[in-house]
Amino acid sequence: MKKYLFLLVLVILASLSLSAGFFSGWGVILNFIGFAFIWQGEKFIRENFSKPTKVLYIFLFITLLSWNAIATWWVYLTKALWVIAVSNTLVMLVPFRIWFWLKKQLHENWHPILFAIIWIAFEFFHHHWQLTWIWLTLGNAFLYQNTWVQWYEFTGVLGGSLWILGGNIFAFRLFNKQLYINYITTTFVVLYFSIPILFSLYLYQKPLPKPQNEIEVLVVQPNIDPFTEKFSSGIRYIPLEKQTKILLELSQQNITNQTDLVVFPETAIDESFTESLITKFPDFQRVDTFVKKYQKDLLFGISTRAYYKTKQSPTSVYEKSVNAFYEDFNVAVMMQKKKDTFDIYKKMVLVPGVETIPFPEYTFFLKEFISSIGAQFFLLGTGKEQKIFETQKAKIAPVICYESMYGEFTAGFVKKGANVLCTITNDGWLGDTPWQEHHLYLGALRSIETRKSMIHCSNMGVSGFINPKGEIGKTIPYNRRTTLLGNTYTYEGKTFYVLYGDYLGRLACLIVAGLVVYALGRIFIMKKDV
């Protein structure tokens, strides 16, 4: 019984430590020991159980599930917490399985370093496949302590992940007396933690370059509850015409003569506009009238439906009445005061289990399953190309909601010429929870990576402005129907991270692939000798 109690203590310590950075700025310090508890559990199980495999995987599953559930507890409001937590836990077990297999081929001293490489490769892979859920990327734990990681402009969040894993290696080796506390060890550990922080503080105190342009922006937060007010199924449904009226009246009351840009949130006008007839819809016409009357540029979110003669993708749906296939899209629109036409960008990174299902050509049945557990689900089409909205004063990256979680993806807009970031999001789906603030603060990491200002416009909050150092400026709290008038600035230039992206992840993948080849070669040679 004592053995199981010890493992339970390790489960609690590991899951709480790995979650700490998402609740407090100083909590990120505990992330530097979270994996050490997991490694200690693995070591204890192998040394104290005659048949360790089953116990080991149960220990890992409970620990990783607890980490997911604690750090992202707010997902319960979508009624899909257990689905997301269990799914991501099972995915997280994969790098452990690879580690268990590969470390047989290496000396014990290399095992923690091997795990760090595999985990970085895993995080990179988790950013780029269809079951992506990257909230718990270790480098994201600095969201409240971004003055320590200003060097993300060189490494992205994977640099933070690597730093945290290195700290865990020190903690594990010191506890197991593989390292001894002496002058050399102490000096090395102090330098390991102090040099990145000092370098970050040096970057933080450097003055920003001279901006190219100053833009006055009006951020509109309509505060329309997606559960009860936004859609016709809601018990307090607000008709679409009235929703549009709320947006326009808030704008008219607060714009000034100097206002350059007005921003509405994601799916601000959710009418499922037929793309070929979009200008015929009354709500779209009302918005266009506002732009021309007040001579302001407007960036806002809508939903569209495109019809095709043939099936375009696994998410295409056949509509018998018109003998055609259609796809629905989450879209950002830019209307400009000096143009009669408008530009659109279709969301490319969709939320798994909410806007898309993984590998839909094989898992279409999951749509019915997700709906059956009461979760909100919209099977959307995927945009094909990043677009830049270019105005007289700015080249705007239209980042839609979940896309702002992805560093390399967001940097792609800047690589194409964007000089200011603009995230439009709903965020009302998850209520008054840490998600609202997390989303804003994780956006600050994108500003650091790209050294670009960000406008963050949310339906229910939190909305605000972020500068290129990741400093949060003026904000609108959650659950307020109001506007925020502020100035943001455009900056030219591309950071090292913008140019080279997640090179740490690619390097880790190459190393893991090389080690797999090496391990297979050793196994083949050993069998041949036998």
Side-chain angles (χ1 to χ4, degrees):
M1 181 60 70
K2 288 183 179 180
K3 292 189 292 187
Y4 292 104
L5 285 174
F6 179 68
L7 291 176
L8 178 60
V9 170
L10 290 177
V11 167
I12 295 170
L13 290 174
S15 56
L16 289 177
S17 297
L18 290 170
S19 303
F22 293 92
F23 297 97
S24 164
W26 290 100
V28 72
I29 294 172
L30 295 178
N31 286 73
F32 285 90
I33 58 174
F35 270 109
F37 292 124
I38 297 178
W39 298 336
Q40 194 62 38
E42 187 255 353
K43 184 175 183 292
F44 178 81
I45 290 169
R46 293 195 186 279
E47 292 175 351
N48 291 275
F49 289 84
S50 57
K51 294 182 178 180
T53 304
K54 183 178 179 180
V55 178
L56 177 57
Y57 278 101
I58 292 174
F59 166 74
L60 289 173
F61 181 83
I62 295 174
T63 304
L64 297 173
L65 180 64
S66 300
W67 176 20
N68 276 269
I70 293 169
T72 58
W73 64 268
W74 32 261
V75 180
Y76 86 93
L77 286 174
T78 67
K79 300 182 180 180
L81 172 62
W82 70 270
V83 175
I84 293 174
V86 171
S87 300
N88 202 48
T89 296
L90 293 173
V91 172
M92 283 179 160
L93 286 173
V94 174
F96 280 93
R97 182 67 190 91
I98 295 171
W99 182 49
F100 296 152
W101 180 67
L102 278 179
K103 72 178 186 172
K104 296 175 183 177
Q105 313 300 325
L106 298 173
H107 188 275
E108 182 180 1
N109 288 341
W110 289 97
H111 291 178
I113 296 173
L114 173 64
F115 180 87
I117 296 170
I118 293 171
W119 193 264
I120 294 297
F122 159 71
E123 288 191 344
F124 174 77
F125 180 77
H126 211 14
H127 278 69
H128 292 87
W129 73 315
Q130 293 188 37
L131 200 56
T132 178
W133 178 252
I134 62 166
W135 200 269
L136 300 184
T137 300
L138 292 176
N140 284 343
F142 291 97
L143 78 166
Y144 289 125
Q145 197 65 274
N146 66 37
T147 54
W148 289 7
V149 289
Q150 294 290 310
W151 37 264
Y152 274 11
E153 68 169 280
F154 299 103
T155 69
V157 293
L158 293 186
S161 297
L162 188 60
W163 190 30
I164 286 174
L165 288 164
N168 277 272
I169 291 172
F170 282 127
F172 178 75
R173 286 187 166 172
L174 285 169
F175 182 81
N176 288 281
K177 297 181 179 179
Q178 296 173 1
L179 286 175
Y180 294 95
I181 300 176
N182 53 38
Y183 175 77
I184 295 176
T185 302
T186 302
T187 301
F188 193 81
V189 171
V190 169
L191 290 175
Y192 180 81
F193 288 102
S194 63
I195 288 177
I197 294 174
L198 291 172
F199 181 53
S200 180
L201 293 176
Y202 163 74
L203 294 173
Y204 183 71
Q205 61 80 36
K206 284 180 63 177
L208 291 169
K210 185 179 179 180
Q212 185 180 39
N213 282 308
E214 180 179 1
I215 311 168
E216 183 174 281
V217 181
L218 182 71
V219 172
V220 180
Q221 184 171 298
N223 199 43
I224 299 172
D225 193 311
F227 286 108
T228 60
E229 299 174 331
K230 191 165 184 61
F231 303 104
S232 57
S233 57
I235 58 175
R236 296 192 298 273
Y237 173 61
I238 299 174
L240 287 170
E241 182 179 349
K242 188 174 181 181
Q243 291 186 38
T244 304
K245 186 178 179 182
I246 289 170
L247 290 160
L248 296 178
E249 286 182 349
L250 285 169
S251 303
Q252 291 161 4
Q253 293 164 9
N254 295 281
I255 56 176
T256 71
N257 291 333
Q258 288 72 43
T259 301
D260 298 294
L261 175 68
V262 179
V263 183
F264 296 167
E266 174 190 22
T267 58
I269 307 175
D270 194 70
E271 197 167 340
S272 192
F273 297 101
T274 302
E275 289 188 5
S276 59
L277 302 171
I278 195 167
T279 57
K280 305 295 183 182
F281 284 78
D283 285 321
F284 200 85
Q285 292 172 347
R286 291 185 184 98
V287 174
D288 185 54
T289 299
F290 165 81
V291 170
K292 298 300 185 288
K293 178 180 178 180
Y294 290 93
Q295 286 293 290
K296 310 298 179 187
D297 295 332
L298 174 65
L299 194 159
F300 63 104
I302 64 172
S303 297
T304 68
R305 175 168 290 183
Y307 284 91
Y308 308 97
K309 292 182 179 180
T310 59
K311 189 170 184 175
Q312 300 295 303
S313 75
T315 58
S316 297
V317 178
Y318 180 70
E319 188 173 324
K320 188 176 181 179
S321 61
V322 294
N323 190 29
F325 292 90
Y326 73 83
E327 289 192 50
D328 293 326
F329 296 95
N330 189 341
V331 175
V333 178
M334 171 61 84
M335 287 184 175
Q336 294 188 51
K337 58 191 176 187
K338 299 296 184 182
K339 291 175 64 175
D340 292 327
T341 59
F342 55 90
D343 299 311
I344 67 169
Y345 162 70
K346 296 180 177 179
K347 187 176 182 183
M348 296 176 65
V349 182
L350 305 179
V351 183
V354 178
E355 296 175 320
T356 186
I357 49 179
F359 314 107
E361 58 269 40
Y362 307 112
T363 59
F364 215 81
F365 65 91
L366 287 176
K367 179 182 179 181
E368 284 70 32
F369 169 71
I370 293 168
S371 299
S372 71
I373 64 173
Q376 292 284 348
F377 182 74
F378 310 91
L379 185 61
L380 301 181
T382 305
K384 307 301 182 186
E385 181 185 4
Q386 289 178 311
K387 298 279 185 70
I388 307 299
F389 292 160
E390 188 167 352
T391 69
Q392 287 183 323
K393 287 189 174 182
K395 298 175 183 177
I396 304 170
V399 185
I400 303 177
C401 189
Y402 190 60
E403 292 179 332
S404 69
M405 297 286 294
Y406 294 77
E408 188 172 56
F409 178 83
T410 303
F413 286 105
V414 178
K415 201 169 185 177
K416 293 189 73 170
N419 55 20
V420 66
L421 309 175
C422 182
T423 298
I424 56 173
T425 181
N426 191 327
D427 283 359
W429 294 109
L430 294 162
D432 190 9
T433 66
W435 152 263
Q436 322 296 343
E437 193 173 72
H438 284 183
H439 198 182
L440 179 70
Y441 276 76
L442 287 169
L445 299 183
R446 305 290 84 80
S447 287
I448 293 169
E449 289 166 347
T450 60
R451 293 302 182 192
K452 298 291 180 281
S453 302
M454 176 180 281
I455 306 158
H456 187 93
C457 179
S458 173
N459 169 30
M460 295 189 71
V462 178
S463 300
F465 294 95
I466 306 169
N467 75 11
K469 292 184 179 182
E471 296 172 323
I472 310 295
K474 296 190 292 185
T475 61
I476 306 175
Y478 177 76
N479 201 26
R480 298 277 184 87
R481 177 174 291 172
T482 186
T483 63
L484 180 65
L485 188 67
N487 293 331
T488 193
Y489 302 88
T490 64
Y491 295 90
E492 295 302 315
K494 297 177 176 63
T495 64
F496 188 89
Y497 180 72
V498 167
L499 293 173
Y500 300 103
D502 288 321
Y503 61 91
L504 289 175
R506 291 180 175 83
L507 179 60
C509 288
L510 285 173
I511 294 173
V512 172
L515 289 171
V516 168
V517 172
Y518 168 74
L520 291 173
R522 283 197 64 182
I523 293 170
F524 176 77
I525 291 170
M526 290 173 67
K527 285 184 177 180
K528 189 175 181 181
D529 290 342
V530 171

